Amino acid sequence: MTLSAHEFQFVSSLVRREASIVLEPGKEYLVEARLLPLARKAGLASVTEFLLRAQGPAGRSDRDSIVDALTTNETSWFRDREPFTAMTDLVIPQLVKSRGTARSMRVWSAASSSGQEPYTLAILLKENLPPGWTYEILGTDISTEMLARAETGRYSQLEVNRGLPAPLLVKHFTRVGPEWEVAAPIKKAVSFKRLNLAAPFPPMPAFDVVFLRNVLIYFDVETKRGVLKRIRNLLKPDGWLFLGAAETTMGIDDGFERVVTGRTSAYRPRTGTSAPVGVTGKG
């Protein structure tokens, strides 16, 4: 079965409107593959029947499920490794020097998926901050299903095998039956909330570091510009932004400057372009 042009148009318009995700023609196979499990779970014979139900007056939950299903949730522990090396070798030492009075750090994982990235960041800070320092990690995502998974802090053996060094697994996780659960001190430092990056942000505190990795590639230029502006307004003046390897602020938001850190790059607000600490990123 192949999606009709009308069905694909409904789905692409929905995810564009709700999440600013651009689905170009030719992605019909992807849409069908992602929605078929939803149709089966609903006891329906086909994706066509599921989409008919989703378009009805009682289809709000189905439409939410479609957006969830078409949000890319690929993730792993210490994914791509280099940004985390930069955190250990450069970012954390610099912030420790400049935060000596507050002795605290706040980090945002802005596309947290099932939680591996924010928990990785919590482990990294736990391992590298001096004694007596506190830290908070906020994980946000548009997918309610992924956030529910992340909040449990439980992962299968296959999931922890994807990038998590064995010594850190033993040190910061507890075995619970066939799964591994994040230890209480790490879990306590991480909170999760639903957030649509393409919409105005709710009031939020300023952050020392933001990880916004492998998200901008799904947005058009105007959406990217709005997201970067709102995040820049939430970064402290000496804060750091990490993007995916294929992403950049260059040519989109001149309020950032690129900084080479080892084998990767990060971005920092240019002098005078970030909002004062505590100003929320609306706009």
Side-chain angles (χ1 to χ4, degrees):
M1 177 248 173
T2 303
L3 291 182
S4 69
H6 172 74
E7 290 167 341
F8 182 74
Q9 178 62 37
F10 166 71
V11 174
S12 60
S13 297
L14 174 66
V15 297
R16 180 68 175 262
R17 182 175 66 253
E18 297 290 332
S20 295
I21 295 171
V22 179
L23 286 176
E24 301 287 355
K27 297 289 188 179
E28 289 85 353
Y29 70 94
L30 171 66
V31 172
E32 186 173 3
R34 296 280 181 90
L35 299 189
L36 186 57
L38 297 181
R40 288 173 174 166
K41 184 178 180 180
L44 300 173
S46 66
V47 172
T48 293
E49 289 187 28
F50 178 72
L51 290 176
L52 282 172
R53 193 176 82 171
Q55 294 176 67
R60 178 71 260 180
S61 63
D62 289 334
R63 294 192 292 273
D64 289 344
S65 296
I66 290 170
V67 174
D68 273 6
L70 289 167
T71 302
T72 299
N73 293 307
E74 173 64 22
T75 189
S76 59
W77 305 92
F78 293 90
R79 186 180 180 188
D80 303 327
R81 193 152 293 275
E82 294 304 327
F84 300 99
T85 300
M87 281 285 289
T88 301
D89 294 350
L90 177 66
V91 175
I92 292 176
Q94 283 198 9
L95 290 176
V96 165
K97 288 182 180 179
S98 62
R99 306 287 188 270
T101 302
R103 296 172 67 83
S104 66
M105 208 169 292
R106 184 180 293 114
V107 181
W108 179 15
S109 171
S112 58
S113 187
S114 48
Q116 283 90 327
E117 182 175 272
Y119 287 129
T120 294
L121 289 165
I123 291 170
L124 204 65
L125 293 177
K126 175 75 171 176
E127 292 280 321
N128 290 278
L129 284 177
W133 279 64
T134 61
Y135 57 94
E136 302 172 37
I137 313 292
L138 172 64
T140 66
D141 203 272
I142 195 171
S143 171
T144 53
E145 181 180 353
M146 287 297 106
L147 290 171
R149 277 214 61 214
E151 287 178 336
T152 69
R154 287 194 178 190
Y155 299 92
S156 68
Q157 185 67 55
L158 179 62
E159 288 172 320
V160 297
N161 285 346
R162 297 191 63 198
L164 186 62
L168 295 182
L169 173 63
V170 173
K171 187 174 181 180
H172 297 293
F173 289 75
T174 302
R175 192 69 184 256
V176 181
E179 297 181 313
W180 292 88
E181 183 171 353
V182 178
I186 299 297
K187 188 182 286 190
K188 184 179 179 181
V190 182
S191 62
F192 294 95
K193 67 188 298 184
R194 187 179 187 275
L195 186 140
N196 183 350
L197 290 168
F201 298 167
M204 298 167 70
F207 293 94
D208 300 291
V209 182
V210 176
F211 271 55
L212 178 73
R213 303 175 61 228
N214 307 304
V215 182
L216 294 180
I217 54 175
Y218 298 104
F219 297 151
D220 60 29
V221 173
E222 284 306 310
T223 304
K224 291 176 184 179
R225 188 169 288 122
V227 172
L228 288 171
K229 178 183 177 182
R230 289 189 288 275
I231 285 179
R232 177 160 47 82
N233 286 342
L234 282 171
L235 266 179
K236 293 181 181 179
D238 60 345
W240 297 79
L241 169 66
F242 285 91
L243 302 178
E247 299 167 326
T248 182
T249 67
M250 298 172 67
I252 302 172
D253 188 330
D254 294 335
F256 285 98
E257 61 179 347
R258 180 171 174 264
V259 180
V260 176
T261 60
R263 297 171 61 184
T264 189
S265 297
Y267 300 86
R268 310 192 76 180
R270 293 187 187 277
T271 303
T273 63
S274 60
V277 173
V279 173
T280 59
K282 293 186 176 182

